Amino acid sequence: MTSPLSYRIQRAREVDLETLQCLHRLRLAQFPFREPSTQKESAMWREFQHSYRQNHAWSVVFYDGKGVPRGFWLAVSEKTRAPARKGMLLRVDYSYTDPGWRGSSALIVSTLAVLLRVKLQAPLLPLLFGCICFPNSFVRVAATFRGVRTLADSTLAAADKALLEQLGADAAGARWQAAAGLADFSDHHPPALARSIADTPRLARHLSRYEAANPAWRQGLSMPIFCEIGLATASQGIWHSLRRVLRRKRKRR
């Protein structure tokens, strides 16, 4: 990483075609097919475009100092549906950042900025944050925000279980396996574990928790997670971001 990342938040429908094509290439590089084909890649591109036309979808794109996109995420804000836990959910459908920029404070700052916008849409409802994920994303979310819930938790309220199942079905579509509580991306190579994903005891515990909950992730199975974002959780996210920045600065000395 030679320069800090900047970011742009906008409604997903407003993202231009050239930028979308660039983001799709980033996603395909991160999440390649086990057996690539033009037909599969074309279908993936159509699905990607459709995702950016969803109602209430937010786009965040990260740029390096030269204006080159180095990562992005797409999230949909919507009210949960009964019998799921009541709240305003920000559901992340896509997320990717080039490895050299994954410690940037822009990642958490942009997340908090979008969460604030979503909170203002429904200020009286609890604010929830969720996604379907592989280990790298789980560890980063669990390390940043407290109270992350999964379907494998031994003490899981019925409303939370319904929320995770709703989230999984909405995010994964036809890939959702309701009986297993997992999304099936077995035709893709799952993202490899990041080099520093478990370089502290706390991060290692998060990774162990994920692998216990979803031991088949290397086969391309991904699981839903969510947490509630209150003041304490948001403050923890800010502190975690600052700590990561300081740790990276020490490593560069």
Side-chain angles (χ1 to χ4, degrees), residues 119-185:
K119 180 64 176 177
L120 293 175
Q121 291 177 356
L124 300 181
L125 288 176
L127 178 60
L128 309 171
F129 177 80
C131 61
I132 53 174
C133 64
F134 287 101
N136 292 333
S137 295
F138 176 82
V139 171
R140 293 189 184 98
V141 172
T144 304
F145 301 122
R146 66 179 66 182
V148 173
R149 307 297 283 165
T150 79
L151 286 169
D153 292 347
S154 58
T155 56
L156 187 66
D160 289 350
K161 180 176 183 293
L163 173 56
L164 287 164
E165 292 172 340
Q166 186 180 114
L167 188 160
D170 289 347
R175 292 179 178 272
W176 178 244
Q177 296 184 341
L182 298 168
D184 184 358
F185 292 96

Side-chain angles (χ1 to χ4, degrees), residues 24 37-47:
H24 177 65
S37 74
T38 302
Q39 184 178 2
K40 287 182 178 180
E41 291 182 10
S42 296
M44 183 179 176
W45 166 238
R46 289 193 298 271
E47 179 184 290

Side-chain angles (χ1 to χ4, degrees), residues 47-202:
E47 179 184 290
F48 192 73
Q49 287 180 292
H50 176 74
S51 296
Y52 274 78
R53 291 195 291 267
Q54 294 180 90
N55 292 327
H56 312 298
W58 293 94
S59 165
V60 182
V61 182
F62 302 101
Y63 298 92
D64 66 15
K66 296 181 179 179
V68 177
R70 293 295 183 176
F72 70 98
W73 58 274
L74 171 78
V76 178
S77 60
E78 58 187 8
K79 293 180 181 179
T80 58
R81 306 182 298 276
R85 177 178 180 174
K86 191 174 183 180
M88 192 71 180
L89 173 67
L90 183 67
R91 186 193 75 231
V92 178
D93 284 355
Y94 298 109
S95 177
Y96 175 69
T97 309
D98 276 348
W101 276 263
R102 286 178 184 166
S104 171
S105 60
L107 306 182
I108 184 62
V109 171
S110 65
T111 302
L112 293 172
V114 175
L115 285 168
L116 177 60
R117 296 187 189 197
V118 174
K119 180 64 176 177
L120 293 175
Q121 291 177 356
L124 300 181
L125 288 176
L127 178 60
L128 309 171
F129 177 80
C131 61
I132 53 174
C133 64
F134 287 101
N136 292 333
S137 295
F138 176 82
V139 171
R140 293 189 184 98
V141 172
T144 304
F145 301 122
R146 66 179 66 182
V148 173
R149 307 297 283 165
T150 79
L151 286 169
D153 292 347
S154 58
T155 56
L156 187 66
D160 289 350
K161 180 176 183 293
L163 173 56
L164 287 164
E165 292 172 340
Q166 186 180 114
L167 188 160
D170 289 347
R175 292 179 178 272
W176 178 244
Q177 296 184 341
L182 298 168
D184 184 358
F185 292 96
S186 56
D187 55 338
H188 290 265
H189 288 289
L193 292 177
R195 183 178 58 183
S196 60
I197 198 64
D199 62 354
T200 70
R202 188 167 70 98

